[in-house]
Amino acid sequence: MKKILTFVFLLIFVSLTNAQVLVEENFDYPVGDSLTQHGWLAHSGAGLVPVMVIGGNLNYANYPLSGIGNMTQLNGGGGSREDINLPFTNQTSGSVYFSFLVNVDTASTGDYFFNMGPNPIATSFRGRVFVKHSDIGKFVFGLAQSSSNVTYTTETYDYKTTYLLVMEYEFVPAT
């Protein structure tokens, strides 16, 4: 079974000129609680495997918000695991930045574990982050706007190592 440890905290920023923090998530909730008990919304139905708060946290050298709160553990792929999101004020211009710590135990053929989109999200994803097992006993990260056309990194990453990921989504005015 695929197991991914992820999301010690999540910071979401609007453009650098605005620098408004939209969400700071430290998972400072009781161990055993579901994230849907704390403002997160299930957006593809409740799922068979809810996303729960577990004890512990992740650390990343020189990252000031590491080691805070608890964490979550995602078990199984998106088909069985609950898909959840944390709504924040809709943005229509500039850029939105997401940063989070992730520690991957195992990965399979490619499944997303993070997404962002408009509020309400429905199926209008604007960005997804994937992990996939590589043929050399490591894994790769992937990015896509939806589940199709995933672009994976050429660099491979070690399992059971904490990584800091930062993603930017830029709003481009329609021409």
Side-chain angles (χ1 to χ4, degrees), residues 29-171:
Y29 311 124
V31 171
D33 277 9
S34 167
L35 288 185
T36 58
Q37 293 175 264
H38 299 282
W40 290 73
L41 304 175
H43 62 260
S44 295
L48 301 174
V49 182
V51 180
M52 308 296 283
V53 176
I54 64 172
N57 52 48
L58 299 179
N59 289 288
Y60 191 82
N62 299 316
Y63 195 59
L65 294 174
S66 69
I68 298 173
N70 286 306
M71 62 184 170
T72 64
Q73 182 173 16
L74 302 179
N75 294 309
S80 61
R81 176 184 30 83
E82 186 174 57
D83 285 340
I84 59 174
N85 67 79
L86 185 59
F88 58 90
T89 306
N90 277 329
Q91 303 300 307
T92 57
S93 64
S95 294
V96 178
Y97 296 87
F98 305 86
S99 66
F100 52 91
L101 297 178
V102 61
N103 188 309
V104 178
D105 282 352
T106 61
S108 58
T109 59
D111 196 18
Y112 81 94
F113 65 92
F114 176 83
N115 67 69
M116 52 97 40
N119 182 9
I121 196 164
T123 58
S124 301
F125 300 111
R126 299 291 186 261
R128 284 184 172 183
V129 181
F130 293 73
V131 291
K132 179 172 76 168
H133 182 74
S134 73
D135 57 0
I136 60 170
K138 297 184 177 205
F139 72 94
V140 293
F141 288 107
L143 292 175
Q145 180 157 333
S146 64
S147 59
S148 60
N149 300 323
V150 180
T151 301
Y152 286 97
T153 59
T154 56
E155 180 75 28
T156 57
Y157 299 89
D158 294 320
Y159 287 107
K160 300 182 181 179
T161 301
T162 299
Y163 294 98
L164 168 64
L165 300 183
V166 179
M167 181 172 124
E168 174 191 13
Y169 182 82
E170 180 181 358
F171 294 89

